[in-house]
Amino acid sequence: MAILEIKEYGEPVLREKSLPAKEITPEILNLIRDMAETMYVASGVGLSAPQVGVLKRIIVIDGQEEGLIALINPKIVRREGEVVEEEGCLSFPEIYSEVKRSSRVTVEALTQKGERIEITKEGLIARALQHEIDHLDGILFIDKVGRTKRQILLNKLKNQKK
Ligand SMILES: [Zn+2]
């Protein structure tokens, strides 16, 4: 296992679209293990492959008592409700903002064993699913806030780096 480097805002890879994983190879299983370890060490709720520089449609989420949720080629097939809550991202250290998300989502994906599953989640896990799946299309949480708020957040991020 290995801790991977998390790409931070400004790295072009975060804006690219990831490709579906055609088959589940040992490399993909290794990547999932490393992503999970990286997420837990960084105390994140979720992590997507593009955040570690791999343009593949793979996400991991800390499912709390349910354990690790690792999804390959995840796709949101149903959304319900709306909720605004504070959100952060491992690619934006110490930046948080309220973001509007669906309160409940159903996601279709492949498991590490190649089984097709459909899961329905709400609360923090539903939020994490939407956030991580957005990453697979190069969409970041700051895209979901107003222009003025976004500028404030980006200035804060820039000032941190000085
Ligand atoms: Zn993120």
Side-chain angles (χ1 to χ4, degrees), residues 51 88-90 131-132 135:
Q51 286 178 282
C89 177
L90 290 176
H131 177 115
E132 301 313 331
H135 270 299

PDB file of all heavy atoms in Angstrom, residues 51 88-90 131-132 135, ligand 1:
ATOM      1  N   GLN A  51      -7.998  13.038  -8.487  1.00  0.00           N
ATOM      2  CA  GLN A  51      -7.303  13.779  -7.425  1.00  0.00           C
ATOM      3  C   GLN A  51      -5.933  13.192  -7.103  1.00  0.00           C
ATOM      4  O   GLN A  51      -5.132  13.843  -6.442  1.00  0.00           O
ATOM      5  CB  GLN A  51      -8.144  13.798  -6.143  1.00  0.00           C
ATOM      6  CG  GLN A  51      -9.330  14.747  -6.228  1.00  0.00           C
ATOM      7  CD  GLN A  51     -10.139  14.686  -4.957  1.00  0.00           C
ATOM      8  OE1 GLN A  51     -10.910  13.756  -4.748  1.00  0.00           O
ATOM      9  NE2 GLN A  51      -9.966  15.653  -4.090  1.00  0.00           N
ATOM     10  N   GLY A  88     -16.111  20.342   2.040  1.00  0.00           N
ATOM     11  CA  GLY A  88     -14.703  20.617   1.779  1.00  0.00           C
ATOM     12  C   GLY A  88     -14.185  19.629   0.761  1.00  0.00           C
ATOM     13  O   GLY A  88     -14.951  18.787   0.265  1.00  0.00           O
ATOM     14  N   CYS A  89     -12.914  19.721   0.427  1.00  0.00           N
ATOM     15  CA  CYS A  89     -12.333  18.859  -0.599  1.00  0.00           C
ATOM     16  C   CYS A  89     -10.851  18.701  -0.292  1.00  0.00           C
ATOM     17  O   CYS A  89     -10.185  19.675   0.040  1.00  0.00           O
ATOM     18  CB  CYS A  89     -12.525  19.520  -1.960  1.00  0.00           C
ATOM     19  SG  CYS A  89     -11.780  18.611  -3.332  1.00  0.00           S
ATOM     20  N   LEU A  90     -10.324  17.486  -0.419  1.00  0.00           N
ATOM     21  CA  LEU A  90      -8.901  17.266  -0.112  1.00  0.00           C
ATOM     22  C   LEU A  90      -7.999  18.038  -1.070  1.00  0.00           C
ATOM     23  O   LEU A  90      -6.834  18.271  -0.766  1.00  0.00           O
ATOM     24  CB  LEU A  90      -8.573  15.769  -0.153  1.00  0.00           C
ATOM     25  CG  LEU A  90      -9.170  14.934   0.995  1.00  0.00           C
ATOM     26  CD1 LEU A  90      -8.860  13.464   0.807  1.00  0.00           C
ATOM     27  CD2 LEU A  90      -8.680  15.416   2.352  1.00  0.00           C
ATOM     28  N   HIS A 131     -20.184  14.774  -4.772  1.00  0.00           N
ATOM     29  CA  HIS A 131     -18.927  15.526  -4.855  1.00  0.00           C
ATOM     30  C   HIS A 131     -17.871  14.730  -5.631  1.00  0.00           C
ATOM     31  O   HIS A 131     -17.222  15.261  -6.538  1.00  0.00           O
ATOM     32  CB  HIS A 131     -18.459  15.829  -3.421  1.00  0.00           C
ATOM     33  CG  HIS A 131     -17.150  16.544  -3.330  1.00  0.00           C
ATOM     34  ND1 HIS A 131     -17.038  17.820  -2.819  1.00  0.00           N
ATOM     35  CD2 HIS A 131     -15.894  16.170  -3.674  1.00  0.00           C
ATOM     36  CE1 HIS A 131     -15.759  18.188  -2.873  1.00  0.00           C
ATOM     37  NE2 HIS A 131     -15.042  17.196  -3.375  1.00  0.00           N
ATOM     38  N   GLU A 132     -17.708  13.455  -5.290  1.00  0.00           N
ATOM     39  CA  GLU A 132     -16.656  12.649  -5.929  1.00  0.00           C
ATOM     40  C   GLU A 132     -16.989  12.340  -7.392  1.00  0.00           C
ATOM     41  O   GLU A 132     -16.106  12.324  -8.244  1.00  0.00           O
ATOM     42  CB  GLU A 132     -16.412  11.349  -5.153  1.00  0.00           C
ATOM     43  CG  GLU A 132     -15.979  11.511  -3.693  1.00  0.00           C
ATOM     44  CD  GLU A 132     -14.866  12.515  -3.461  1.00  0.00           C
ATOM     45  OE1 GLU A 132     -14.029  12.723  -4.360  1.00  0.00           O
ATOM     46  OE2 GLU A 132     -14.847  13.129  -2.372  1.00  0.00           O
ATOM     47  N   HIS A 135     -16.040  15.114  -9.592  1.00  0.00           N
ATOM     48  CA  HIS A 135     -14.598  15.144  -9.902  1.00  0.00           C
ATOM     49  C   HIS A 135     -14.297  14.366 -11.191  1.00  0.00           C
ATOM     50  O   HIS A 135     -13.369  14.716 -11.925  1.00  0.00           O
ATOM     51  CB  HIS A 135     -13.796  14.484  -8.779  1.00  0.00           C
ATOM     52  CG  HIS A 135     -13.368  15.421  -7.686  1.00  0.00           C
ATOM     53  ND1 HIS A 135     -12.547  16.499  -7.891  1.00  0.00           N
ATOM     54  CD2 HIS A 135     -13.637  15.417  -6.347  1.00  0.00           C
ATOM     55  CE1 HIS A 135     -12.323  17.127  -6.738  1.00  0.00           C
ATOM     56  NE2 HIS A 135     -12.976  16.490  -5.779  1.00  0.00           N
TER      57      HIS A 135
HETATM   58 ZN    ZN B   1     -13.095  16.916  -3.781  1.00  0.00          ZN
END
